[in-house]
Amino acid sequence: MDRSGTSRALGRKRSARLLAVAGAALLAFLVSACGGGEEQNTVEPSAVSQEELTRLPDATTYGDLADAPLDPGAAPTGQVLHPKKDLVVYKAVNGEPFAKLPTRQMGSPTWVPVIATQGEWAQVLLPTRPNGASGWIHAGDSDVESARNNFVVNVNREAFELEITEDGKSLGKWTIGIGKEEHPTPMGRAYIIASIAETVNDYSPIVLPLSYHSDSHETFGGGPGTVGIHTWPDDSFVGQANSDGCIRVTQEALDELVKLPLGTIVNIV
Amino acid sequence: MLTAGVLLAPTASAAGGENSAFAISADGLLKISQTPYVDDTNGATEESVVSLDVPQNLLSLGVLNARAGDGYAKSSIADLRVSLNALPDLGLGLSQPLVAAEAIEASCEDGVASSSVAGASVAGIALDVAAPANTEIAVPGLASVTLNKQVTNDDGSTTVTAIAIKVNNLQSLDLASATCAKGDDDGGEPSTPPTTPGDDGGDDGDNGGDNGDDSNGGSGSQADEDGMAPVPTPVEAHLDVTG
């Protein structure tokens, strides 16, 4: 199985480009051989000045990027990326910059799921409001660490069920609790943004915050209304809609969920 | 009389963890405690504030943000305007806002500090995007204006303040501050110079040259030998999720 195929493919693209600039005759040959699409695939990001960079808001769970393109719902690629430095996030391949993606989310290394690629560019989901925010980053080897992630979590609110899958195969199902009617768990394609050993709240030793936010709680406690997955001190939640939007799971389920890589997609229907 | 100034409810004590950040603080006739103040006493922490209990004619803002964790701190301000002419005892009488800025940032990573500003001016004087450390600029009517103010503290930590203003002995204003300790790694990793896309060659005011992952020993930030995403290590932090 080729688990690092994407990364190697990116490497080949770069080699092709380097060859292309080596000679005009060769360049002409490559362009005609590869067709017009290749030119767009290898486009480098346009220059972003220091001043523009300073203006760009950080993409964290505290952010609200109203201009972000929304998740188009394309099939996930199974690839996750970790930015090695703050990366500019664009609205499209070589489009308008609108945010920067920092290297950490709540102390954990940032990993974002890739939902589309175009040459060295990757469309990734973002941890900010609004729900489903996405953006394009230039994902060259010097910019990002790339990895495969074959896990997906499926949450069915109506059935109060959470399932972990690997390569589409079910690894287990658990009964969960979800948000109450007035503060529902939001529906959509979220992902795990961090793994928190919670130091203040004592309802769950580990909290897995998701990229999604409550639609009804603009803020919650001191936080920005981030929806999370965590356990609860008693089993009053099992099969109930009584949280403020979070997904409450049993300790048994949490023990499995904490092993999932950051960037793992959580489909909530 | 406005000598009582404008008092905000106190936030967390400044005597917290060794990594800390705040976006704004003012002392004197206008008093604003360090807001939002975060430190790493409870692990990684972040806070955003979109309004302050300060009269609009003195101060208006977009967003203030601060975050801190093991070996790093960052604060930022978006769309700030401070005009203290409504405090007559200060004797400012500026024709321009004391400070206007589209964005101000300060960050500190493993003891290395930087700051930058965008669309920023003090008393109408435009500021450099990324000034060298401890750049003093002369502004008529103000006692001192220091850009990218960097101080090594007694405990070895570094504090950077993007803009530090003293009007006279009655008023000071600090904008975007971050304090971080030198990471406790083996010190063997090279610090990658900033390579932000399109960097104009100036001092990188952002933490584009992040080496925080190195100070984390690379834990959880690299694919395994098979190219698979790593199992995460839970990081001490505090975030109020929606229970």
Side-chain angles (χ1 to χ4, degrees):
Chain A
M1 189 167 68
D2 180 10
R3 287 172 157 170
S4 56
T6 307
S7 150
R8 277 204 288 274
L10 291 178
R12 282 197 296 273
K13 290 265 166 52
R14 187 175 300 103
S15 304
R17 193 175 65 245
L18 289 173
L19 278 177
V21 296
L26 187 57
L27 174 68
F29 169 75
L30 281 177
V31 168
S32 61
C34 300
E38 185 70 8
E39 193 177 339
Q40 191 182 17
N41 283 352
T42 56
V43 67
E44 291 285 336
S46 59
V48 175
S49 72
Q50 175 80 47
E51 190 162 21
E52 283 178 278
L53 201 60
T54 304
R55 277 195 196 96
L56 296 177
D58 282 333
T60 74
T61 189
Y62 282 80
D64 189 345
L65 302 172
D67 292 345
L70 293 181
D71 180 356
T77 63
Q79 185 187 17
V80 285
L81 298 178
H82 164 67
K84 295 178 182 175
K85 59 189 181 188
D86 284 14
L87 289 186
V88 176
V89 187
Y90 301 81
K91 287 184 178 174
V93 171
N94 209 22
E96 182 189 343
F98 70 98
K100 48 186 185 272
L101 183 64
T103 58
R104 295 186 191 81
Q105 303 289 336
M106 297 307 303
S108 290
T110 299
W111 284 95
V112 289
V114 177
I115 55 171
T117 59
Q118 198 171 310
E120 288 196 337
W121 291 79
Q123 185 177 18
V124 300
L125 299 181
L126 298 173
T128 63
R129 288 180 186 268
N131 290 339
S134 75
W136 289 85
I137 58 177
H138 186 252
D141 286 347
S142 62
D143 300 325
V144 301
E145 173 80 5
S146 174
R148 298 292 307 167
N149 178 11
N150 298 326
F151 296 97
V152 170
V153 176
N154 294 312
V155 172
N156 184 320
R157 297 177 301 172
E158 200 172 313
F160 296 99
E161 188 178 84
L162 179 147
E163 177 187 40
I164 300 175
T165 67
E166 183 179 16
D167 288 321
K169 192 171 110 267
S170 180
L171 297 184
K173 288 182 181 178
W174 296 269
T175 304
I176 59 168
I178 59 170
K180 57 188 93 165
E181 197 177 336
E182 61 271 37
H183 299 300
T185 302
M187 187 178 71
R189 177 157 67 173
Y191 70 93
I192 300 170
I193 66 169
S195 179
I196 292 178
E198 175 58 48
T199 56
V200 177
N201 299 326
D202 56 6
Y203 49 75
S204 186
I206 294 179
V207 172
L208 302 175
L210 302 181
S211 54
Y212 268 43
H213 295 76
S214 170
D215 289 320
S216 54
H217 285 299
E218 193 177 332
T219 61
F220 188 83
T226 309
V227 170
I229 300 179
H230 55 75
T231 188
W232 198 246
D234 57 44
D235 60 3
S236 61
F237 68 88
V238 179
Q240 303 292 318
N242 56 12
S243 85
D244 273 287
C246 276
I247 297 166
R248 296 178 181 174
V249 300
T250 59
Q251 185 64 48
E252 185 195 26
L254 188 66
D255 288 345
E256 299 305 314
L257 287 162
V258 297
K259 298 175 192 166
L260 301 178
L262 302 181
T264 295
I265 283 174
V266 179
N267 291 310
I268 304 169
V269 298
Chain B
M1 288 290 283
L2 276 161
T3 44
V6 181
L7 264 173
L8 283 184
T11 55
S13 159
E18 53 186 4
N19 302 288
S20 62
F22 67 85
I24 190 170
S25 92
D27 201 10
L29 298 184
L30 173 68
K31 288 185 193 295
I32 302 171
S33 59
Q34 300 178 346
T35 306
Y37 174 83
V38 298
D39 65 39
D40 65 343
T41 303
N42 294 318
T45 307
E46 180 168 347
E47 271 190 50
S48 281
V49 167
V50 293
S51 66
L52 291 174
D53 188 15
V54 174
Q56 278 278 325
N57 63 338
L58 296 181
L59 185 149
S60 65
L61 62 88
V63 185
L64 308 176
N65 182 273
R67 61 181 189 256
D70 187 19
Y72 71 92
K74 178 172 182 182
S75 62
S76 63
I77 297 174
D79 297 325
L80 179 76
R81 184 186 168 94
V82 182
S83 179
L84 302 185
N85 287 343
L87 300 175
D89 289 358
L90 213 49
L92 255 180
L94 296 170
S95 57
Q96 305 271 358
L98 175 61
V99 182
E102 291 171 44
I104 306 172
E105 286 189 342
S107 76
C108 192
E109 284 268 351
D110 194 19
V112 179
S114 61
S115 70
S116 61
V117 300
S121 62
V122 171
I125 297 173
L127 305 182
D128 280 348
V129 173
N134 300 310
T135 299
E136 299 277 349
I137 60 170
V139 179
L142 303 183
S144 72
V145 176
T146 309
L147 306 180
N148 197 12
K149 181 181 176 185
Q150 298 192 13
V151 176
T152 302
N153 303 304
D154 290 344
D155 64 359
S157 63
T158 300
T159 297
V160 54
T161 306
I163 304 176
I165 296 173
K166 286 195 189 313
V167 174
N168 44 40
N169 58 0
L170 293 175
Q171 185 67 51
S172 65
L173 180 66
D174 285 342
L175 300 172
S177 176
T179 298
C180 72
K182 188 115 181 74
D184 52 6
D185 58 22
D186 58 19
E189 296 104 339
S191 176
T192 315
T195 52
T196 342
D199 194 310
D200 57 8
D203 182 24
D204 190 342
D206 192 71
N207 58 351
D210 172 76
N211 57 5
D213 293 326
D214 296 338
S215 64
N216 292 341
S219 170
S221 59
Q222 288 176 326
D224 70 14
E225 61 273 17
D226 295 323
M228 303 304 285
V231 174
T233 303
V235 176
E236 285 200 346
H238 169 54
L239 174 64
D240 281 311
V241 293
T242 55

